[in-house]
Each structure stands twice: as C-alpha cells, then as structure tokens.
Amino acid sequence: MRALVIDRSVPVGLRIGEVAEPEPAPHQALIRVTATSLNHGEIQFARAEAPQGSVLGWDAAGIVERAAADGSGPPAGTPVVTLGWDGAWAEYRAVDTDLIGTAPRDTDPADLSTLPVAATTALRALHRLGPILGRRILVTGATGGTGRFAVQLARLGGAHVIAATGDPATHTGALRELGAAEVVTGADALDAPVDGAIDLIGGSHLVAAYQRLAEGGTVVAVGHSAGTDETFPFGAFFGDQGRHDRSVTSFFLLGCRDLGPDLSWLAQQVAIGNLRTSIAWQGDWTRVGEAAEALLSRRLHGKAVLELG
Amino acid sequence: MRALVIDRSVPVGLRIGEVAEPEPAPHQALIRVTATSLNHGEIQFARAEAPQGSVLGWDAAGIVERAAADGSGPPAGTPVVTLGWDGAWAEYRAVDTDLIGTAPRDTDPADLSTLPVAATTALRALHRLGPILGRRILVTGATGGTGRFAVQLARLGGAHVIAATGDPATHTGALRELGAAEVVTGADALDAPVDGAIDLIGGSHLVAAYQRLAEGGTVVAVGHSAGTDETFPFGAFFGDQGRHDRSVTSFFLLGCRDLGPDLSWLAQQVAIGNLRTSIAWQGDWTRVGEAAEALLSRRLHGKAVLELG
Amino acid sequence: MRALVIDRSVPVGLRIGEVAEPEPAPHQALIRVTATSLNHGEIQFARAEAPQGSVLGWDAAGIVERAAADGSGPPAGTPVVTLGWDGAWAEYRAVDTDLIGTAPRDTDPADLSTLPVAATTALRALHRLGPILGRRILVTGATGGTGRFAVQLARLGGAHVIAATGDPATHTGALRELGAAEVVTGADALDAPVDGAIDLIGGSHLVAAYQRLAEGGTVVAVGHSAGTDETFPFGAFFGDQGRHDRSVTSFFLLGCRDLGPDLSWLAQQVAIGNLRTSIAWQGDWTRVGEAAEALLSRRLHGKAVLELG
Amino acid sequence: MRALVIDRSVPVGLRIGEVAEPEPAPHQALIRVTATSLNHGEIQFARAEAPQGSVLGWDAAGIVERAAADGSGPPAGTPVVTLGWDGAWAEYRAVDTDLIGTAPRDTDPADLSTLPVAATTALRALHRLGPILGRRILVTGATGGTGRFAVQLARLGGAHVIAATGDPATHTGALRELGAAEVVTGADALDAPVDGAIDLIGGSHLVAAYQRLAEGGTVVAVGHSAGTDETFPFGAFFGDQGRHDRSVTSFFLLGCRDLGPDLSWLAQQVAIGNLRTSIAWQGDWTRVGEAAEALLSRRLHGKAVLELG
C-alpha cells in the first residue's frame, strides 16, 4: 500500500512511498483511510523524532475493510472515525476497536477526520471539569482546532462559555457563532470568577486562568503552545477567601478510557449539524508539504485535512 | 474576663486586658479556655491586620462552661478542643458546636491545644489525596507543627511516608520515629514517583513535588512559608508519558465541613498515644511575647502553647 | 402580616391568618412574597406534622424588602427567587442570602416560584451524575414538576435524554418538546444501558433504572412517590461483565451547598426562554385548598402556584 | 506440562493432566507456579461452566521463568504473585505484566498465593470508600478469606474497624487480633453510623449496612454469598435528616487498573509481618478434591492453598 513515509532526505521530511500493509492484532480492525487531519504535535515534534521509513498519523476517517478477529468493533463496510498512536497517514491502518467510532453514512470524511484528537480532547477535558451545566467555563486559545471544539462542546453542555483569543477584533463574531457568551483577550479580563477552564496555550494564560477560578474550580492544562514556563506569583495557591480547592491538572487523551463511544457521539453531532468542524486547509495527501507549512506558520484557525484516493 | 488584646502601643502588639465575655449565638457553646497554641498565620499576618482592642486566636482547649442553646454539641463540663476564626486567646470563647471536638478526660490541655489548626489541616489535606493506604506520600516541611502531624497521620493511614526536611542530619531520627519510611532533602531526591504530596513550604518545593507525581496524583498546597513565586518549567504540565491527571490544589481548613468529629478523633488519638504532639515552647499566657518571638524566628520545630491560669 | 397558617380545625388544614412579621437574622434578607409554588412533600407530609399556627412553605418568588444586615445578598428592590425550610406561604419571609437567587426584571413571579425546590433539585441531581455531555441519561417520572425540569436541564446539558412515563401515549409529544430524545414506559424498555438516571418515583422504577446502568453509572434516588420497598433481585449488585462501579445514591437538596448562584442561573434560563416552567394550576393564595387537592390527586402534570395579591 | 484440567467424568470435575505449555503474548511473562489458592467463585461457578479440558485458576505465586518479550515486568528468577482470568492451576502460566506483583525473597509462596483475588479485592474495595483514616468502617463477612484481609487493611489504613460475623462468640478474639475495634453480629447492632462498609455477604447484610451509613458514606457490594434478593424498605433511600449522598456500589476487581503495584505492596506487607494470611487448608495440588469440598462446605475461615511440586 502507499503511505506518507518519514524521509529526512526530502524537504518536508515526508514522501508518499510503498510500505507493507499493517497486520491487525486480534482486537484491531483494518481501516481503509479516506481522510486524515494533521495535528501540531505530529508535525512539530513526532515528525522530527520518528525513525526513517515509519508511518505516523493519529487521526483518520475511513471505512472498515476487515472487522477485528475477536468480534469486537464494527463490521466491514462501516464508515468510521479512528484514533491511534501512528499509522493514520496511509491507505490502510490497523486500529484498536476501542479507539474506533462509527459514523452516520454520508458524513463527509474530511469533517470526520478532524475529530479524533481535537474534538475528543476537547470533550474529555470538559468532562474532567465535572458538571458544567449552568457553570462559567473559560476556553483559552479558543480559535485553534481544539479550541473551536471546546467552545462548541462547552456550549452544548449548557455552560456559560467565555472564549479567550489574542485577537478579539477578528474572531469575536465567529466565536459567538460557535456558542461563546463572551469573548475576552484573556482570563485577566474576566469580570467574575470561572468554575473551570480549558487552557490550550499554557504559560501566562494557564496562570491567569488559575487565578480566576472559583472555589472548587479546575484548569485542565491541555495545550502548551506558549512554550514557556508557568510562573505563579506568591499567593496564587492560597486557599482562603473563597480560594479553597482550586486545581490545575495535566491531561493526555490516551490516558483516558473508553474513547470509542465518544468518537461515535462526536461523529453523530457533526452529522446532525450540532458540531461544526473548522477545516482551514484541505487538499490531496500529495500536498502534505503545503499543509504542514501552513500548520506550522500558525496561520490556520482550524484544522488541515489530507484526502486520500 | 481577661484576654490577649491587640494593642499596638506595646512591643509585641498584645497585652492581657479586660474585655466583655462573648455572647454565644444559639449554635455556639461557651468554653472556658485552659490552653491555646499559636500558629504562624496568626502571629505573622493576623496580628498586623486586626483592629486595636480585638481578641484573636484559632486554637483552644478547654471545658464547656455553657452548652449551646440549640441543644447541639457537648454538655457543660466536657473537656473539648475547639477551632474558630478568633477569640481563642481569652478566658472564655464562644464556638460553633460543629467546630468543637470532645476529648477524653485527663488529656493534657496543652497537647489538645496544638490540634485544631495543625492536626486537622494535616488530616484534611491527607483526605484530599483520596485513598492513601499502600500509597507513597511525600510531606515537605515535615519538621514543623503541621508537618509532624502530617507524617504521623499519613503513617497511621498506611502510607509509605517520605518526609522532606532541609536538615536531614538533624531530623532524620525524629522523623523516622514519627513514621517516616524515608527522609529526604526534597522531592528532587526521590528515587520513584509519589502518589500524593502535602506541601507545607511552597515555592520550589511545591514545584518539585508536582514534578515527582505519578499519574493521577495530587499535591495539596497547604503551607506557603517560602514566600516566593512558584515557577513550573516548560513541560511540567505535560500529560503524556505517565503524567496524565496530575494535580496541584489549594487548601483552606475552614473551607472543609464537619470538622467536629475529626477534632474528637484527633483528641482520642493523642489520648491513646497514637499521635504525638510536638510542643516546642510552653508557658503561661503572660509570656506571649516570648512565644511569638520564638515562633517568628523559625527556631521552633513544633508548636508554641500558652497556658491559662 | 397575613400568612397561610396551619389550622387543623379547618378542612384543608390551612387558613389565611395574621401572624408576626419574621425578624431576619443578620445573614437573612426580608422578602416580600409575590408567588409561591406547592410541593408534594409540603402538602402530603409537612402539613400533617407542623405545629398548629406555624407557617410552612419552601418556594417563594418576590422582591427584596430589606437587604441582609451583614451586607450579603441582593439590595432592596431586587426581584428574587428563594428557598427555605419554611415561611414561604406568607406576605413576607426571612431567607438566608445563600438561598436567594436574583431574577431578571419582568420575569413572571409565578414562573419563578416553581424553581426553588423542583428545578434546583433537578439541576443538582444531574450534577451528581458528573459530566453528562454526550451521555445517555434516563429520567423516570418525567411528567411531574421535577421531572419536566430534569428532562429540559439534561437536554440543556447535552445529554441524550430518555424520559420514562407511565403513559407515553399522552405525554410523548410534550416530553419530546422538552428535549427527550426517547420516551419509554420504564427502564425495562431501554435498548441500551444508560450512563446515569434521575429517579423520581422509587420502588421498582429505581431498581429497573439501576439494572440498566453502564459501568461507572449512577442512579440518583430523588423521588419516592411509589411508596414501596425497593427489591433488587439476586445478582443486581454483581460487578462483573461490564457492571463494575454502578451506584445508587440518596439525595437531599438542602444537603447541597451554594444554591444561590444556581437559583439565579435557573431564573435567567426561564427569562431567556431556555427553560419552560410547567404550571398546571395557578390562582390566588386564598384558593390554597383547591390547589392542595389537585396536587394530592396526582392529576397535575406540573406545578401548582399560589399568587399573593 | 501438568495442570488441573476440567474433566467432568471424575467426581470433583478436576484431574491432573498433561497440557501444552502456554505461549505468552509479548506483554506477558511466563511464570513457574509454586502455589495457588482457591476462590469460591472458581469452585462454585467457574468449574461448572468451563469447557472440558480447560485450565482455570485466578491466583498463583511462583517464579518468573521467562520475562515478557516487550521488556515490561520483572526479570526471570523474580519471586512473584500473579492474578489472571485463568491458567493458575498449572505448572506454568502466562500472565499480563500489569497483573504481576514482585515479592521479597523468602516469602512463603503459600502465603503469597492467597493475596491476588482476596487481598487485592479488599484493598481496592477500601480505596473505593475514599479516605478512611479516622473513619468508621464496617466489614461484613469478616471471617472469610477476603474479610480477614479487609479488616486488617482497614486497620492499617487508620480506620475504626467494625467487623461483623454471624458467630461473635467464636470469632471475636481472632477479629480483634486482626485489628477490629468492635465485633458485632451485623449492621443492625451498630450504636452509631459508619462512614463506609465493605459488604462480603449481600442480601439483608447489604441492606442493613446501607441503612447505617452516615451522610456521604458508601457500601461497596463485594460479596454475594447470601444468594438472596436485596430488599430495601420504603424510606431507605431518603436523603433528608443526615442521609444525603449515601451510596451503594457494585465492584469487580478486574474493572480496576494498575493492580501490579498493589500486588507488590501486599506481598511486602506479608513479608514484613504487617498482614497476616489466613490459610485454613493447605496441601499438595493432587488433593484438590479435598480442598474444594472444604471450601464449598463453608467450614473454612480462611483460604485453601494448593502447593505444586
């Protein structure tokens, strides 16, 4: 089969080459991939560290080619959305059936391919906050791929959503359309404490979010694009005066269990129009170099999707 | 009645004066105070901010002089250990009955007076960690008043206790006697991750403790004596590679509910010899100036107790 | 002032009489009541047990007549929705400020008066389930006062809501309008497990709901109108085969903290049309006998509201 | 190799026969088994349902014969204690490395073999109760294999342990030696509520334990030997009057994660004398028939251990 193979002799470090088809373990289905979306982490870090000749890729939409031998997961022919550690950038991938969601027929594979890492991360990070119905929830880095899902999902979850973006002049309209009740430049600008926060930037944004938490609130530290230290000023961790039991916690999607049903639910929300994907770049997988460059330039407010075949 | 009254015209800012006896609300008992212990926060901060003529004091042991009008709490004549926002440094204090623990007869009031803030804080901060039986628990600032209780209580709770102190040469023996399985200079010196930590210092100690947490672990930020920023280096909040769901959380004792039964249990543990108090200074309440000075100098590895008449 | 006074010499056990105006404690505001809604528990149980001459009533909407002396809570003139143990069935009530929500001006007091016990119970019982966004949630007794709020709030919280009613032929349309994705006769009729349930009936409904829980799921036992034992067949509490960590838990609204902000949020949802109240009977408070009778007959699918002139 | 093979043509349904050595998956180590302990569930249910010729067995102590191919788990030659779905009743078993605990050298394999299901269940069921230090914890069925571990572990965890047994006259002394502060005939006999309970019997014992829970308390339904319905009388699930947030929850050991470190910790506690095993029957594995009969007769207050080789 063909795949995007790591090749450091070519400029982008990736070329379409011929590799062996993966052999699924008994608890894995074989998926024919139709679209894959790129994530910062893959392009920025994984690409540099992966062995020459390997096949990367976390997110893939496709069709079940061969069901899992152990009987788990969907049957052949089912449209699916899949998550894994690698192997998504190929015509076929083998995936653990508990990392497969089923999709309604006729859902656009490009849309589906944006869900696995970005939307499932947004959903599970929100779940980590506990009940959010009727609560004030802050999302920093709200215009990125994960951020747009977090804003929409927090809104679907009945929260009062406050979206933070460095450029409210440009993005306020779009963020309000996604469900933000307020758009601010950062947690410093809040006029009242929040019950929880999804931080997609890190650095001073994480610290500011923590300092605006109400008693019992949590910041989930999901994204780290700031690339800087987090310095909490003396007193930030005091608990008196309504500041008891405020937490900041780390997050890793593959540290969560039972993601399959969530992938199915997210696919369904896309199909019925409850959840909008944000594809900022879309093209044939032969144009991976362009896509990677756009992603790294941080020009993209949304996801980059490669289509196969 | 007599009380230690805030008076900024005298050197220590406190003098014994005559004030009106407190009038208990219906849900408060009137306590005749026999001993009170001093806490850093009271001496260092509260003393400076309190109005002239007011009566401070969180911790008091004594005898119920008059039971609460609403029928709650122990009857007159009961030996008790009490916690409150103020009023402990007086011959009589009015206390909410849900902040009163009963004590076995013949328990030394000086010992009891050390429990309210320090031991209850240690107990509730440990509870905030979730189950600790069979888990590795770090206590930083282990030689202070709260630290000694935290080490002992974590040991009573079946944890593998690692006590951190800046001066292991001096304190290792004593900390091992209190139940520490290991004594280290700080979290940096740990040879394996911990499942939870009680941080009594803050600053770099808090950061180091966080960085040694196992997945799912928590640092409770209880003490802040370092008086400095907390700077987490880039990457500290990453969740991959076994670092998912690691939290740091703020703590405030009076943000907790139902402290009365805990005070009773702690008093009982002292009475039966399961829990050792650490009185580093003890004297008549007329010597409050000496006690305050000793406390502020940080020479004390334990509590300072004032005895009343 | 006038109030509905317990008087067992009259048929309904309640008459409008003259009583002393309540004297608010420092942390209480005095409220001029404009509407009150009746709850089953008040009419069925509390009425029988209350002392002759006392004033009952949990739910009241009104206007702040005099703000709390301690400075907490809203200022005089604010439209409010209030919750308390008693005193709502009177021209004036004294209420703890942490049990007061503020309401947008021009919100109908009759609507607001239906919120305190019923909607806040629904909200907090849902919160007890943890994250519900994208989860399958069952509501039994869905057509009652609390049930209708539970269905709507679960929907606002992004759940897939399954409403159970004994008479789907009559109620399916209305329940779907409130947000139910499915309407069933009971948990036995479910085609897949649920992640959580709000049980408003008890007895066999509670047991059936428990037996349809997915691993990690919870049934909150809120209502007990069945008036019968709960018999779990042998094996119901087994944990193997995907049945690990399924819980049933008891619930009591006044066991929850910080209800004030929830009351404000609920009032706002009513004002903006996100939450529909269900007033099945409405009339002047002089007609309390009629209202009580309607409520006890279980003819009402919604709340009974008394208006004060 | 030799194994205890299911053979329904012989009286006890088990005979020593020759079978193929298991082939470990990459994440499995091959263990040479030296001792295995029997559990009720294996003898009573699994034996009846297993295919002819299969090899059962959950608990085994032994020595690593061949380390896992993926590099996880202990090296060859390490004494270990292992847990699995089957295969323990054989000279060699293949075990997932995350279900292997390491044991100190010179620990008796018979003792170790009693830990996997019984002690790990007791530990994890206690963990499900949250913090237990200073809390009142009830253990029903305290004299059985799991019960004796639960009593000891709750005591190691700093709880006030109340052990329930149908025959206190016989067992009070032994249970107190294991750490019970009180021995009762059942939850009905308690003089105060408990904060949590481990129920190892089910039926009316489970119900009685639930009814004695304090607010916020949990009963973990671990054992089901009563074999009867659980009937909760009307009102048992009420939440008022201090009965808010009381839960009963199901439990399944293999629904828990990360059991390996717990197995190691338990083995260490046995080695240092903190945890006593209770071997009520011990003999060569050729005498499996005797052991099974003793177990089923419920004459055993402790575990039955088969020794190999």
Side-chain angles (χ1 to χ4, degrees), chain A residues 121-191:
Chain A
T121 290
L123 179 60
R124 283 303 179 97
L126 286 167
H127 278 186
R128 180 62 180 77
L129 297 178
I132 61 170
L133 173 62
R135 297 291 182 245
R136 292 167 54 84
I137 304 297
L138 173 70
V139 177
T140 71
T143 61
T146 304
R148 283 170 193 241
F149 285 127
V151 168
Q152 291 180 81
L153 290 169
R155 181 71 193 86
L156 277 178
H160 176 93
V161 184
I162 304 157
T165 170
D167 183 5
T170 305
H171 297 296
T172 293
L175 288 168
R176 284 190 175 277
E177 270 179 49
L178 294 177
E182 305 176 36
V183 178
V184 297
T185 51
D188 294 334
L190 293 172
D191 56 5

Side-chain angles (χ1 to χ4, degrees), chain B residues 51-211:
Chain B
Q52 188 82 349
S54 60
V55 177
L56 297 179
W58 299 336
D59 293 350
I63 306 289
V64 177
E65 179 78 13
R66 202 162 63 236
D70 68 3
S72 67
T78 310
V80 291
V81 50
T82 70
L83 173 63
W85 265 120
D86 51 31
W89 300 348
E91 287 181 313
Y92 293 95
R93 91 183 294 192
V95 195
D96 296 3
T97 52
D98 60 3
L99 295 174
I100 297 177
T102 57
R105 294 198 179 274
D106 304 322
T107 316
D108 184 342
D111 286 331
L112 293 176
S113 77
T114 67
L115 298 175
V117 167
T120 317
T121 290
L123 179 59
R124 285 300 179 99
L126 286 167
H127 278 185
R128 181 62 180 77
L129 296 178
I132 61 170
L133 174 62
R135 299 290 183 247
R136 294 167 53 84
I137 304 297
L138 172 70
V139 177
T140 71
T143 61
T146 305
R148 285 172 190 239
F149 285 128
V151 169
Q152 291 181 80
L153 290 169
R155 182 70 193 84
L156 277 179
H160 177 94
V161 184
I162 304 157
T165 171
D167 183 4
T170 304
H171 297 296
T172 294
L175 288 168
R176 284 191 175 275
E177 269 178 51
L178 295 177
E182 302 176 40
V183 178
V184 297
T185 52
D188 293 333
L190 293 172
D191 56 5
V194 292
D195 299 297
I198 306 297
D199 174 50
L200 297 165
I201 303 186
S204 61
H205 294 80
L206 171 62
V207 173
Y210 183 78
Q211 294 192 287

Side-chain angles (χ1 to χ4, degrees), chain B residues 12 34 37 44 67 104 112 151 183 202 221 229 233-234 272-273 279 307:
Chain B
V12 71
T34 53
S37 82
Q44 196 155 18
L112 293 176
V151 169
V183 178
D229 291 357
F234 178 61
I272 64 181
I279 300 177
E307 292 167 308

Side-chain angles (χ1 to χ4, degrees), chain C:
Chain C
M1 68 170 189
R2 290 178 306 153
L4 281 179
V5 175
I6 294 288
D7 181 352
R8 298 212 173 73
S9 69
V10 301
V12 71
L14 289 166
R15 65 170 171 76
I16 293 190
E18 196 70 24
V19 299
E21 202 170 280
E23 289 186 25
H27 64 290
Q28 292 186 316
L30 186 72
I31 309 298
R32 180 165 57 78
V33 176
T34 53
T36 183
S37 83
L38 303 179
N39 295 287
H40 261 282
E42 297 168 305
I43 295 299
Q44 196 154 19
F45 303 115
R47 195 174 47 155
E49 295 161 10
Q52 188 81 350
S54 61
V55 178
L56 297 179
W58 299 337
D59 293 351
I63 306 289
V64 177
E65 179 77 14
R66 202 161 64 235
D70 69 2
S72 67
T78 310
V80 290
V81 50
T82 71
L83 172 64
W85 264 120
D86 51 31
W89 301 347
E91 288 181 315
Y92 294 94
R93 93 182 294 193
V95 196
D96 296 2
T97 51
D98 59 4
L99 294 175
I100 297 177
T102 57
R105 295 199 177 272
D106 305 320
T107 316
D108 184 342
D111 286 331
L112 292 176
S113 77
T114 67
L115 298 175
V117 167
T120 316
T121 290
L123 178 59
R124 284 300 179 99
L126 286 167
H127 278 185
R128 182 62 180 76
L129 297 178
I132 61 170
L133 173 63
R135 298 291 182 245
R136 293 167 54 84
I137 304 297
L138 172 70
V139 178
T140 71
T143 61
T146 305
R148 286 173 190 241
F149 285 128
V151 168
Q152 291 181 80
L153 290 169
R155 181 71 193 83
L156 276 179
H160 176 93
V161 184
I162 304 157
T165 171
D167 183 5
T170 304
H171 296 297
T172 294
L175 288 168
R176 284 190 175 277
E177 269 178 52
L178 294 178
E182 303 176 39
V183 178
V184 298
T185 52
D188 293 334
L190 293 172
D191 56 5
V194 292
D195 300 296
I198 306 298
D199 174 50
L200 297 165
I201 303 185
S204 61
H205 294 79
L206 172 62
V207 174
Y210 183 78
Q211 293 192 287
R212 297 303 285 145
L213 283 182
E215 181 164 332
T218 301
V219 179
V220 185
V222 175
H224 309 279
S225 57
T228 61
D229 290 356
E230 274 95 14
T231 297
F232 292 76
F234 178 61
F237 289 110
F238 282 15
D240 61 342
Q241 299 178 349
R243 294 177 294 178
H244 175 58
D245 198 24
R246 296 171 303 124
S247 303
V248 51
T249 192
S250 60
F251 182 86
F252 180 57
L253 182 58
L254 291 176
C256 304
R257 295 173 90 175
D258 300 322
L259 295 171
D262 285 350
L263 286 164
S264 299
W265 180 79
L266 289 163
Q268 189 200 14
Q269 298 306 303
V270 168
I272 64 181
N274 269 358
L275 187 65
R276 269 192 262 169
T277 62
S278 309
I279 300 177
W281 189 100
Q282 184 167 3
D284 191 77
W285 67 328
T286 55
R287 293 167 58 200
V288 62
E290 268 176 70
E293 198 184 326
L295 198 68
L296 291 176
S297 71
R298 297 200 184 280
R299 290 186 272 111
L300 296 185
H301 296 289
K303 300 276 294 176
V305 172
L306 301 179
E307 292 167 309
L308 278 75

Side-chain angles (χ1 to χ4, degrees), chain A residues 106-121:
Chain A
D106 304 323
T107 316
D108 184 342
D111 285 332
L112 292 176
S113 76
T114 66
L115 298 176
V117 167
T120 316
T121 290

Side-chain angles (χ1 to χ4, degrees), chain A residues 17-42:
Chain A
E18 197 68 25
V19 298
E21 203 170 280
E23 290 186 25
H27 64 291
Q28 292 186 316
L30 187 71
I31 309 299
R32 180 165 58 77
V33 176
T34 53
T36 183
S37 83
L38 303 179
N39 295 287
H40 261 281
E42 297 168 304

